[in-house]
Amino acid sequence: PKKPENFIDDDDDQDLLSSDEETPQKSKKSKKAQKSKATKESVAKAKDKAKKAKDLINFAMSEDMNSMIWSQPSMKGIPPGPRQGHTMTVVGNAIYLFGGTDGTNLLNELWVLDPDKATWTQPSCRGTLPKPRQRHCAVSLPTQSLLIWGGIGGGNVACVLEPTSMTWFDVRLQGEKVEGKEERVPSPRWGHSAVLIEQSVFVIGGHDGSLPLDEVWELDLTMMSWRVPEILGKGPKCGSKHM
């Protein structure tokens, strides 16, 4: 899909659109220069935000929810650099950080946080590394492995990490069979959310680079195949960058 510029918020996107709409008589050269200036300002603003957002913050809540405390733990090891659009996923006893953007480049780094030892590490990985990406989804599977899919730069290939051997695999996902038509699969997207329920991963919403999406797809992990589940009732307008 069409890739938006790194680190541009929805408001910034709207500003770029508005600048063209308000002056329809301007030359193409003028429009291009105006759009380039707005884009550079948006990226610079987001970079400044990222530089201030490199600390790890911990939130603790008691079982009875009477005690909710924010704290900043002391960490060991070399931490990952500032970024946004990454994912952090609990797999087993560790937290896996993958991808994102530093404001200039898309990333495909993998970092592991051991919460018991409060230590960051960047392991060496084998296999086929996922493409650099941001605003993708990541899910911890029942097999204690990590599934990565979608995102800006990620395409439509599913990638699975086996933590015991730190090996990445590309997984071919089958589509939903429709009589007389090609298999249906979800279009590449970013800003979607995904959640594991029993033996299925449900992908909701996102953005395809042109329009926000409000569709739901189900990935059956037993067959590694996509399908569109039957949804009853009226669902929310999902769009992108939701939880």
Side-chain angles (χ1 to χ4, degrees):
K2 180 181 177 182
K3 298 177 185 177
E5 294 289 336
N6 295 347
F7 273 89
I8 295 182
D9 295 328
D10 290 338
D11 292 341
D12 299 322
D13 292 337
Q14 188 58 47
D15 289 342
L16 297 182
L17 293 172
S18 299
S19 65
D20 288 346
E21 292 170 354
E22 292 168 1
T23 57
Q25 303 303 321
K26 288 186 177 181
S27 66
K28 291 183 179 179
K29 185 176 181 180
S30 176
K31 289 180 182 178
K32 186 176 181 180
Q34 195 172 38
K35 179 181 266 190
S36 176
K37 180 181 178 182
T39 299
K40 289 178 180 178
E41 290 176 351
S42 299
V43 172
K45 180 175 67 175
K47 278 185 178 180
D48 184 59
K49 287 183 187 176
K51 287 178 182 178
K52 301 174 183 177
K54 62 182 179 180
D55 296 324
L56 181 71
I57 305 297
N58 183 55
F59 178 68
M61 183 172 63
S62 63
E63 292 184 3
D64 59 8
M65 298 183 67
N66 289 325
S67 175
M68 292 183 278
I69 303 172
W70 286 104
S71 64
Q72 186 172 347
S74 176
M75 305 301 297
K76 302 174 185 177
I78 300 175
R83 66 194 63 205
Q84 75 165 23
H86 53 286
T87 51
M88 293 189 71
T89 313
V90 176
V91 182
N93 296 321
I95 302 173
Y96 292 77
L97 182 155
F98 178 80
T101 175
D102 60 9
T104 302
N105 301 305
L106 295 175
L107 307 171
N108 66 344
E109 300 174 346
L110 179 72
W111 292 80
V112 180
L113 173 62
D114 184 332
D116 295 328
K117 299 179 180 178
T119 302
W120 281 107
T121 57
Q122 186 179 16
S124 297
C125 295
R126 298 183 291 178
T128 305
L129 298 181
K131 293 180 179 179
R133 68 191 70 198
Q134 66 151 320
R135 299 184 188 180
H136 51 280
C137 70
V139 178
S140 177
L141 301 180
T143 55
Q144 295 296 293
S145 52
L146 177 67
L147 171 71
I148 301 290
W149 182 77
I152 299 174
N156 211 10
V157 176
C159 306
V160 174
L161 173 72
E162 174 52 60
T164 55
S165 62
M166 283 297 168
T167 303
W168 284 105
F169 302 92
D170 284 349
V171 180
R172 184 184 181 280
L173 303 177
Q174 300 178 23
E176 183 176 37
K177 291 180 172 58
V178 181
E179 188 174 352
K181 298 182 180 179
E182 294 184 0
E183 292 184 346
R184 289 200 301 176
V185 297
S187 60
R189 65 195 62 202
W190 54 268
H192 49 291
S193 60
V195 61
L196 173 71
I197 301 178
E198 296 181 349
Q199 291 295 320
S200 291
V201 174
F202 289 86
V203 173
I204 304 172
H207 201 288
D208 66 4
S210 298
L211 296 170
L213 307 169
D214 61 359
E215 58 191 22
V216 178
W217 284 85
E218 178 185 356
L219 175 59
D220 184 340
L221 297 175
T222 61
M223 303 294 293
M224 296 307 287
S225 63
W226 290 107
R227 77 181 190 93
V228 179
E230 181 181 357
I231 305 293
L232 303 178
K234 185 178 180 180
K237 292 183 179 180
C238 295
S240 63
K241 297 193 289 187
H242 51 279
M243 293 181 66

